[in-house]
Amino acid sequence: MSDASPAPRRARVRAPELIGKGGWLNTGGKDLTLADFRGRILILDFWTFCCINCLHVLDELRELEEKHRDTVVIVGVHSPKFVHEADHQAVVDAVERYGVEHPVLDDPELTTWKQYAVRAWPTLVVIDPEGYVVAQHAGEGHAHALAELVAELEAEHEAKGTLRRGDGPYVPPEPVATHLRFPGKALVLESGHLLVSDTTRHQLVELQPDGETVVRRIGSGERGLADGPADQARFSEPQGLCALPDGRVVVADTVSHALRVWDPATGETATVAGTGAQWMQGSPTRGQAREVALSSPWDVAWWQGKVWIAMAGVHQLWTYDPETGTVEAAAGTTNEGLVDGPAAEAWFAQPSGLAATPDRLWVADSETSALRWVDPDGTVRTAVGTGLFDFGHRDGAAGQALLQHPLGVTALPDGSVAVCDTYNHVLRRFDPASGEVTTVATDLREPSDAVLVGEDIVVVESARHRLTRLRLPEEALKVEAVAHRTRREATAVAPGTLSLEVVFRAPAGQKLDERYGPSTRLLVSSTPPELLTAGAGTGTDLSRELMLNPEVTEGVLHVSAMAASCDDDPDNEYPACHVHQQDWGVPVKVEAGGAARLPLILAGLDA
């Protein structure tokens, strides 16, 4: 449902209480209730720390948070997808890791998520100073609309006398002294030293071969995008590292949406790809590297004469060619999921780790808990993993083995690969020759990468802030198998026709951008494909009739929606435009008495 007309008077819906079994973080130990926010504009950010779109929104909100610090309080409601994300310490770690500077409610049982009828990560809910829900937005790209709404609410409640200005309830945690803080990826340099991306401190750290003695730090430690010598360069949550044939190092500067190159000989850092802005739908997907936007590059690998990029933010693989200074999308459609086949048709879900061998580019596809690879001819294949909602820790034949949000993959000398099975806190091994998955090391803490050093493997233990050296055992360990599905409950839908409606109302002061044709897009598919007998495919209307197969009783609906709106100013020939987009994976069970209508809110309130 799209509507370019002015939004009607906002409905008066009382906000439900904020309840989470894990309690509150960033409040100095104080438990908060909705009453504590009365008189302030409250923005609830429903997020989970595995989700790249949620991390994008954290960055989108920083400017709003700073500008309106005396009137607006942002509260993160942490709502887990994976079992590991329901671990309270993991949430504590994530809040520090990603620099979250507002209160966070840890809701491991999705209590508040259900109270607010949230269906997607991320979702933003705005509550006015009197405690009423006035807006809901799913996905990314809503910062401008939120800023306009906040200004409107400030004026309205200032006039009514219901706005209370002052300091918010945020209390920063005590800093902890460690050499590394949530390190991401590692690389062995030609010197034999180790280079580590010190993600939360926005630096690179060169270590001696012992993995502990610091040789030098690269980057000032302040978040940003700046080139120059080691003490002046700035990074923003850097992750992946790979060596170029000339010995220089490519850095995936994730939150800067850029590729940087660091020269060990001179100590200088230079930007080689990305504009510093995040790639959005409709942006170019090839061209001169400094003129094309990227989106959360998470890892890099040298393969077939190019730097391959795990572009986590858009569920694709891209390449950067140092010879021509160009980038281009190489695999993936930007749709999130697990679909094999030709590169241009394959689907990924937040690819986060790469490892190159002569005949394969291995990919840790984190959100599908999958290990995948690309053949030299561009065909994408899956070794382990089945989709977005099944995960766990199970060894054995690859077809039934399970991982949980792996972030790293490392090629081993015998042709097998080691997988940093991040949310299971273990190191796994997949042997293509036997088709078997085994567990080779346990008692790690969020391992995110590993590198070979002689006969040892050095693992980046991200949540223990250290590198851990292991001997690869000849015999695999025996572990107790567990399988999980995401904690989200399936939506009961009636058999037959299902009316899908994506709710989108152009924010105040904006209208749908129809200058170059339709400004909305809706893509629908399902797992298994047989779930839908009609209604799959791409169209421009944000509502669609789906026909469910009576012989398929459960599955997942994959819905991707995009709407472009522009500032409604007739005197401005070049109005600012804003893209709102979100992907939903909706688990459904088909049963009598289920819903005949499925509303998904992109922006606005469901009437």
Side-chain angles (χ1 to χ4, degrees):
M1 178 177 68
S2 61
D3 185 355
S5 61
R9 178 69 182 168
R10 291 189 297 270
R12 301 282 283 176
V13 179
R14 175 67 73 180
E17 189 53 83
L18 304 177
I19 301 169
K21 189 175 181 180
W24 289 86
L25 306 176
N26 283 354
T27 63
K30 181 181 179 182
D31 289 339
L32 301 175
T33 67
L34 272 178
D36 293 308
F37 303 105
R38 193 60 55 86
R40 312 297 288 277
I41 299 163
L42 178 61
I43 300 176
L44 302 182
D45 175 16
F46 288 87
W47 69 301
T48 189
F49 64 77
C50 72
C51 159
I52 191 67
N53 311 91
C54 300
L55 304 186
H56 290 167
V57 167
L58 283 176
D59 291 309
E60 286 181 3
L61 292 175
R62 291 187 201 278
E63 183 178 346
L64 181 75
E65 197 167 19
E66 184 60 38
K67 184 177 180 181
H68 299 274
R69 197 167 285 280
D70 66 333
T71 58
V72 172
V73 177
I74 295 172
V75 167
V77 182
H78 189 267
S79 313
K81 171 187 173 180
F82 289 100
V83 168
H84 169 58
E85 292 175 305
D87 172 11
H88 181 70
Q89 184 57 46
V91 181
V92 173
D93 289 344
V95 167
E96 180 189 349
R97 180 194 297 266
Y98 297 117
V100 180
E101 295 184 351
H102 50 246
V104 172
L105 175 64
D106 180 12
D107 183 18
E109 296 177 346
L110 302 183
T111 303
T112 298
W113 164 288
K114 294 171 186 173
Q115 286 291 311
Y116 281 82
V118 174
R119 291 184 180 273
W121 297 279
T123 291
L124 299 168
V125 175
V126 183
I127 299 170
D128 73 12
E130 295 179 287
Y132 291 93
V133 175
V134 293
Q136 183 170 328
H137 302 270
E140 304 177 45
H142 301 293
H144 181 79
L146 286 173
E148 294 288 323
L149 178 56
V150 164
E152 181 185 326
L153 289 170
E154 283 179 342
E156 176 183 335
H157 288 275
E158 191 95 79
K160 289 174 66 175
T162 49
L163 186 69
R164 177 173 57 85
R165 294 179 181 270
D167 294 333
Y170 170 67
V171 178
E174 290 292 323
V176 181
T178 52
H179 286 315
L180 301 171
R181 205 71 193 160
F182 299 105
K185 305 287 186 180
L187 175 70
V188 181
L189 298 172
E190 290 180 347
S191 64
H193 288 179
L194 292 162
L195 186 68
V196 183
S197 53
D198 198 16
T199 304
T200 297
R201 292 208 178 112
H202 315 298
Q203 292 179 319
L204 310 180
V205 180
E206 184 178 348
L207 302 168
Q208 290 187 5
D210 62 9
E212 296 179 6
T213 306
V214 175
V215 176
R216 56 178 161 171
R217 293 181 177 273
I218 301 98
S220 68
E222 295 181 61
R223 180 191 292 272
L225 177 59
D227 292 337
D231 61 343
Q232 296 176 24
R234 289 189 181 189
F235 300 91
S236 190
E237 298 181 28
Q239 286 281 351
L241 307 165
C242 79
L244 292 172
D246 62 10
R248 294 180 301 152
V249 175
V250 178
V251 182
D253 195 7
T254 304
V255 179
S256 292
H257 308 295
L259 292 191
R260 322 288 295 281
V261 166
W262 174 65
D263 188 337
T266 66
E268 294 277 329
T269 296
T271 302
V272 296
T275 64
Q278 182 187 337
W279 187 96
M280 301 297 280
Q281 288 289 350
S283 302
T285 56
R286 62 188 305 168
Q288 289 300 307
R290 291 298 307 275
E291 299 172 7
V292 177
L294 308 181
S295 182
S296 296
W298 206 277
D299 203 7
V300 281
W302 180 256
W303 191 54
Q304 297 186 321
K306 295 180 181 180
V307 175
W308 284 69
I309 310 164
M311 201 75 81
V314 285
H315 317 301
Q316 289 181 308
L317 304 180
W318 286 40
T319 58
Y320 162 63
D321 187 339
E323 289 290 320
T324 61
T326 57
V327 293
E328 65 178 321
T333 63
T334 77
N335 297 315
E336 184 180 16
L338 193 156
V339 177
D340 288 341
E345 300 170 15
W347 292 22
F348 294 93
Q350 217 169 297
S352 301
L354 299 175
T357 66
D359 60 346
R360 290 185 182 185
L361 179 69
W362 292 97
V363 182
D365 202 29
S366 62
E367 277 294 284
T368 51
S369 297
L371 173 65
R372 306 175 72 184
W373 81 86
V374 184
D375 284 329
D377 67 2
T379 304
V380 177
R381 306 182 192 276
T382 298
V384 182
T386 59
L388 286 165
F389 299 104
D390 291 292
F391 54 91
H393 187 175
R394 187 163 63 201
D395 287 336
Q400 57 86 53
L402 293 171
L403 309 169
Q404 186 180 181
H405 199 79
L407 291 179
V409 58
T410 306
L412 301 177
D414 64 357
S416 67
V417 290
V419 180
C420 286
D421 194 2
T422 309
Y423 287 3
N424 280 328
H425 311 297
V426 298
L427 192 68
R428 311 284 291 281
R429 175 177 176 265
F430 169 66
D431 183 358
S434 66
E436 292 286 311
V437 176
T438 53
T439 298
V440 295
T442 60
D443 191 30
L444 302 168
R445 185 70 183 174
E446 293 193 21
S448 55
D449 196 22
V451 293
L452 292 175
V453 179
E455 296 183 355
D456 296 340
I457 189 164
V458 175
V459 179
V460 180
E461 267 198 279
S462 188
R464 283 200 180 116
H465 320 293
R466 71 186 188 192
L467 303 184
T468 298
R469 185 180 293 260
L470 303 170
R471 273 292 167 98
L472 282 174
E474 294 183 14
E475 292 296 323
L477 303 174
K478 296 293 184 184
V479 297
E480 188 173 338
V482 292
H484 302 292
R485 298 210 84 198
T486 181
R487 299 178 70 92
R488 290 177 58 193
E489 295 177 2
T491 299
V493 295
T497 302
L498 178 65
S499 177
L500 172 67
E501 295 184 28
V502 173
V503 177
F504 178 77
R505 293 191 180 278
Q510 297 179 36
K511 63 179 180 179
L512 288 175
D513 178 16
E514 306 283 5
R515 291 172 298 166
Y516 307 108
S519 62
T520 55
R521 186 189 72 163
L522 180 65
L523 171 67
V524 180
S525 64
S526 66
T527 303
E530 299 76 32
L531 176 64
L532 289 177
T533 59
T538 304
T540 56
D541 289 338
L542 291 182
S543 60
R544 189 178 301 177
E545 296 291 302
L546 308 180
M547 186 63 68
L548 302 175
N549 184 344
E551 296 181 5
V552 179
T553 58
E554 64 178 1
V556 179
L557 292 175
H558 304 282
V559 181
S560 178
M562 186 273 290
S565 61
C566 291
D567 293 349
D568 189 6
D569 182 358
D571 297 328
N572 186 353
E573 186 178 354
Y574 303 104
C577 295
H578 316 276
V579 176
H580 316 264
Q581 61 186 67
Q582 173 62 19
D583 295 337
W584 290 268
V586 184
V588 296
K589 54 184 177 182
V590 183
E591 57 185 40
R597 174 178 177 266
L598 178 61
L600 300 174
I601 296 177
L602 181 59
L605 293 173
D606 183 17

